[in-house]
Amino acid sequence: MQDSETVTTPKQTALPVGILAGAIATLLALGAMSQLSFAFVIYAASALPILIAGLGWGNRAAIVAVITAAVLGAVLVSPPFAATMAVFTLLPAGWLSHLANLARPASELGGPDHLLAWYPLSDILLHLCCVVTLAMIALGVVIGYGPDLTSQMVDLMTEALRGQDPTFVPDAAGLAQTKAMMVLMLPMVQGGLWVLLLFAAFYIAIRFVSRSPRALRPREDMPSALRMNRNSIFVFLAGILLTFAGGVPAMIGATICGTFGAGFLMAGFASLHFRSKGKDWRIPVLVLAYLSSLMFLAALFVLVFGLADTRRTNPLAPAKGP
């Protein structure tokens, strides 16, 4: 497997593009600090410039963008801010763009000699789930995440509710159950949401770059191509088993369930799109599926679709440039 970045992407072009992308990524991350209502979405959007630079101008531009954003973040805010931004958005975005640009002759896989076989989308999604899992675990270690921290959070929320309604008296048993549940639910939800947002940024970057002649990777049909790697099932199963172990293993298992569950959820929706092509009931069923996915049981049903349809396919396309 080799990088498909061609000689038509000179260093003198990659450098200014990378600097501009890094500056925009930093501005978006700074904007997330001032817009708390949409902070999560804006912060995830800071990966978009890095992805566009990497997908359109190759690895050099992505590396320059990551370095530029990290330096600006350290200078304008603080080194911890730059490190957090690098771990959660910059490095994952740069790695995804690198994987997307990997290709090898299709003849090595038994295909035509004049085509390239690109890195499978299922493996890119697998890497994204792994990267976000490691980032969430690293963050948990740094902030000392655990029952004590979540207990303080629940107590603060309870005090806020009491401030709004002085007659509110929480049940002690219910409060203890909420604290125990929050320890696992918080990393599960945050990890899954971060996978969804970063993949959304990757998808938008692919759509944006594919409209220009700069695109290295051919645009794929997501309903047929977006699936999880078969090996992801074993990782997901290991995460479920870890959640019953208690302590730190349970928190790690919850993180794995969230990140890989989000991957299977996206694959399930893609499978549903693919299976409903050309059907009269396509629109109402898809609308119902998306609306009902806000409920756990409906989302679980779509996730099962993703678990039942795992594959690893290499998209084939002619090489661009010399």
Side-chain angles (χ1 to χ4, degrees), residues 36-163:
L36 297 180
S37 301
F38 302 97
F40 216 60
V41 176
I42 298 174
Y43 196 72
S46 64
L48 192 57
I50 311 297
L51 287 165
I52 292 175
L55 292 170
W57 283 265
N59 288 338
R60 293 192 190 97
I63 293 172
V64 172
V66 169
I67 294 174
T68 301
V71 171
L72 287 176
V75 172
L76 296 178
V77 184
S78 66
F81 171 81
T84 303
M85 184 170 58
V87 170
F88 279 95
T89 58
L90 303 180
L91 294 178
W95 184 244
L96 289 182
S97 65
H98 165 69
L99 293 176
N101 289 337
L102 290 178
R104 61 180 174 179
S107 57
E108 296 182 6
L109 302 176
D113 294 334
H114 65 286
L115 296 180
L116 287 178
W118 294 83
Y119 199 74
L121 189 61
S122 59
D123 288 8
I124 294 177
L125 186 54
L126 172 62
H127 277 260
L128 174 60
C129 295
C130 292
V131 167
V132 173
T133 300
L134 293 176
M136 293 295 298
I137 293 173
L139 177 65
V141 172
V142 171
I143 66 175
Y145 182 81
D148 293 337
L149 182 60
T150 53
S151 177
Q152 294 175 13
M153 294 171 60
V154 173
D155 289 339
L156 289 174
M157 289 189 292
T158 304
E159 291 299 325
L161 291 174
R162 283 178 179 173

Side-chain angles (χ1 to χ4, degrees), residues 271-287:
S271 178
L272 193 58
H273 274 268
F274 182 73
R275 293 168 187 263
S276 63
K277 275 187 177 180
K279 301 293 193 298
D280 296 335
W281 44 265
R282 173 181 173 84
I283 299 299
V285 167
L286 288 178
V287 171

Side-chain angles (χ1 to χ4, degrees), residues 151-298:
S151 177
Q152 294 175 13
M153 294 171 60
V154 173
D155 289 339
L156 289 174
M157 289 189 292
T158 304
E159 291 299 325
L161 291 174
R162 283 178 179 173
Q164 296 177 358
D165 183 8
T167 61
F168 174 72
V169 180
D171 178 63
L175 195 61
Q177 186 177 8
T178 301
K179 291 180 178 181
M181 184 177 63
M182 279 286 289
V183 176
L184 300 182
M185 287 301 297
L186 199 57
M188 185 182 298
V189 172
Q190 287 187 338
L193 186 58
W194 200 244
V195 168
L196 294 175
L197 290 175
L198 285 183
F199 189 83
F202 176 74
Y203 175 72
I204 293 171
I206 287 280
R207 291 290 300 267
F208 181 83
V209 175
S210 65
R211 296 179 180 272
S212 73
R214 302 292 324 177
L216 300 177
R217 183 186 181 95
R219 182 178 166 184
E220 299 169 68
D221 180 47
M222 286 294 173
S224 60
L226 182 57
R227 299 292 186 273
M228 284 287 278
N229 189 300
R230 290 186 178 89
N231 295 329
S232 304
I233 295 178
F234 302 107
V235 181
F236 186 56
L237 178 61
I240 294 175
L241 295 177
L242 281 174
T243 57
F244 295 98
V248 175
M251 291 184 284
I252 294 175
T255 306
I256 294 173
C257 287
T259 53
F260 281 79
F264 282 113
L265 184 66
M266 288 189 291
F269 275 114
S271 178
L272 193 58
H273 274 268
F274 182 73
R275 293 168 187 263
S276 63
K277 275 187 177 180
K279 301 293 193 298
D280 296 335
W281 44 265
R282 173 181 173 84
I283 299 299
V285 167
L286 288 178
V287 171
L288 181 63
Y290 278 105
L291 292 178
S292 60
S293 64
L294 298 175
M295 297 182 291
F296 176 76
L297 289 179

